[in-house]
Amino acid sequence: MSTCKFQIHPEPLDLFDLIPDSILLLILNNIADVKTLGRCSLLSKRFHSLVPQVQNVLVRVDCVISDDDSTSSSSSASDKSRGGGPFSSLLRLLVGGIVKPIQAIGQLLGPKRSTILAPSPSSALSVHNNNTSGDDEQHSGGVTHHSPTQVLKNFDEIKFLKIELPSGELGIEDDVLLKWRADFGSTLDKCVILGASSVIHPQIVASGNVMNDGGDDNGSIPESFYTNGGLKLRVVWTISSLIAASARHYLLQPIISEHKTLDSLVLTDVERQGVLCMNKEQLEELRVKPLSASSASKRTLVPALNMKLWYAPYLELPNGSVLKGATLVAIRPSEQAGQKDVSDGSWVSSAFEEPYGTAARMLVKRRTYCLEMNSF
């Protein structure tokens, strides 16, 4: 009788089992992207338990959903989706907080003067997810959409949060430059705005078809700046940027309230048109000192402001680009005017990425003009 022989093979070892949790968390923190982290959490029970511990999170808002898209749903589902988190109700924010003020200013200046265009029609911003469901969701084409507030509820220990919108709120013409950076606590702490009526790129400058038509530039603002609508246009840029910043700030309240571990929060857009920043002290200030909301719309009330303005009719940058009608505005609340000088300027010149950081440093060396603005 023959004897059967059996050979026992050990089960293949999962190499991830050899990696300590601390190393896996380091990897997950470098991934950061919330949708990728969501996929990782589905791999195993171990990953499912580790993902909520991630401290560095990036939320890319990649969907713009018109409220009209939800009309085909039942009225109860529509009401549910519209009454969700703050990003779900961006529709009402845009209509009440940005479109109307910009349109009103545009009408004041006339259609040929204003290069600010009203934002796109009613829309809500969402992060899409094909597999999960939640209390704050919308459905479009079989895909479930969640607001960033809802998505972030899955994380317990966020320290560094970045939210990226699909575009800037302020529509501008292709050759116009408009960028802003604002720091907030419970209210506006500081804001820097860089604008130019046109940007001429190096290859065009190199062709020799660009003329310096700024006249004799002695560092002063020319008289034509006041008479041809140049100053009025800069007022439009300033007010529009402040409204956009205060609207973003208002939206962040629930996230800041729910995530008390936050040390840094940045809300930007893929075009880098605007950047809102809050550090640990500013986040804590908002938690203990509630913001003042504007009675006109869903945004933070902008306090009375002191501003310093620098202007150059023609600004040639080291990379070969030329900014025509370059304007830099540095803004502080009036109550801080005696404490912090807006022209003390590392925060002004470091507000923008290159080459625009260089443009800011060049502009602050020019003659300074002071302005004031009431609360709104």
Side-chain angles (χ1 to χ4, degrees):
M1 180 181 293
S2 60
T3 304
C4 295
K5 295 183 179 180
F6 298 94
Q7 187 172 1
I8 301 175
H9 296 279
E11 183 178 347
L13 182 65
D14 186 345
L15 296 180
F16 274 109
D17 290 339
L18 302 178
I19 303 177
D21 284 356
S22 59
I23 301 299
L24 284 181
L25 279 172
L26 183 62
I27 296 171
L28 293 172
N29 273 298
N30 277 279
I31 291 174
D33 178 68
V34 72
K35 286 186 289 185
T36 304
L37 291 173
R39 298 186 186 103
C40 290
S41 70
L42 301 176
L43 294 176
S44 66
K45 290 183 179 179
R46 186 184 183 197
F47 275 88
H48 187 73
S49 66
L50 288 175
V51 167
Q53 302 176 43
V54 170
Q55 297 180 344
N56 185 26
V57 177
L58 167 64
V59 180
R60 289 188 174 96
V61 177
D62 54 7
C63 296
V64 180
I65 308 169
S66 171
D67 259 15
D68 295 337
D69 294 342
S70 61
T71 56
S72 58
S73 305
S74 65
S75 58
S76 59
S78 179
D79 292 342
K80 181 179 180 180
S81 65
R82 294 185 187 188
F87 279 82
S88 303
S89 58
L90 186 63
L91 156 69
R92 292 177 289 282
L93 168 68
L94 286 175
V95 173
I98 297 179
V99 176
K100 291 181 180 178
I102 293 175
Q103 287 176 340
I105 297 170
Q107 291 170 0
L108 175 65
L109 301 182
K112 294 183 180 180
R113 292 294 183 195
S114 177
T115 55
I116 296 287
L117 306 178
S120 57
S122 303
S123 57
L125 301 184
S126 303
V127 181
H128 81 258
N129 190 322
N130 290 318
N131 300 311
T132 61
S133 60
D135 295 333
D136 181 17
E137 60 184 35
Q138 292 184 339
H139 298 271
S140 177
V143 179
T144 302
H145 301 276
H146 299 270
S147 76
T149 307
Q150 179 69 19
V151 172
L152 292 171
K153 288 181 178 178
N154 299 316
F155 297 88
D156 303 323
E157 301 180 21
I158 302 176
K159 286 191 174 181
F160 307 100
L161 174 61
K162 181 177 180 180
I163 301 174
E164 189 176 86
L165 304 179
S167 62
E169 296 91 331
L170 308 177
I172 56 176
E173 295 177 1
D174 290 341
D175 59 344
V176 173
L177 171 69
L178 180 59
K179 292 184 176 292
W180 58 265
R181 171 177 168 147
D183 288 39
F184 277 81
S186 61
T187 187
L188 179 68
D189 182 55
K190 55 181 177 279
C191 181
V192 187
I193 301 167
L194 177 66
S197 55
S198 64
V199 180
I200 305 172
H201 299 289
Q203 58 271 27
I204 300 176
V205 176
S207 69
N209 295 326
V210 179
M211 298 294 293
N212 181 355
D213 55 2
D216 295 331
D217 183 9
N218 59 6
S220 301
I221 294 179
E223 185 66 28
S224 59
F225 183 76
Y226 304 100
T227 58
N228 66 5
L231 179 59
K232 289 182 179 180
L233 180 58
R234 271 63 180 183
V235 172
V236 172
W237 290 351
T238 300
I239 294 176
S240 302
S241 299
L242 288 169
I243 290 175
S246 61
R248 290 188 187 186
H249 182 245
Y250 184 91
L251 292 175
L252 294 172
Q253 290 180 88
I255 294 174
I256 296 170
S257 177
E258 291 176 12
H259 297 276
K260 301 187 184 303
T261 56
L262 276 173
D263 287 344
S264 172
L265 194 160
V266 175
L267 177 52
T268 185
D269 56 83
V270 293
E271 299 165 347
R272 303 290 291 180
Q273 183 186 84
V275 181
L276 184 150
C277 300
M278 299 182 72
N279 60 31
K280 186 175 183 178
E281 293 74 19
Q282 291 166 334
L283 291 162
E284 187 58 32
E285 178 188 328
L286 179 58
R287 294 189 187 103
V288 300
K289 184 181 178 183
L291 58 79
S292 299
S294 169
S295 58
S297 58
K298 292 188 175 181
R299 62 175 179 81
T300 303
L301 184 69
V302 178
L305 303 171
N306 280 7
M307 299 183 287
K308 292 195 175 182
L309 180 147
W310 298 269
Y311 175 80
Y314 184 97
L315 192 68
E316 186 171 355
L317 303 182
N319 71 345
S321 299
V322 168
L323 305 183
K324 286 195 171 184
T327 310
L328 182 69
V329 183
I331 303 169
R332 288 275 199 191
S334 297
E335 62 182 18
Q336 296 182 8
Q339 307 170 23
K340 304 173 182 178
D341 182 4
V342 297
S343 64
D344 179 22
S346 59
W347 66 272
V348 176
S349 56
S350 63
F352 306 106
E353 298 176 348
E354 294 300 334
Y356 302 116
T358 298
R361 288 190 290 274
M362 295 171 68
L363 284 165
V364 295
K365 296 177 181 179
R366 301 176 67 87
R367 181 171 297 183
T368 303
Y369 295 83
C370 298
L371 304 89
E372 295 182 354
M373 183 177 292
N374 293 331
S375 175
F376 62 94

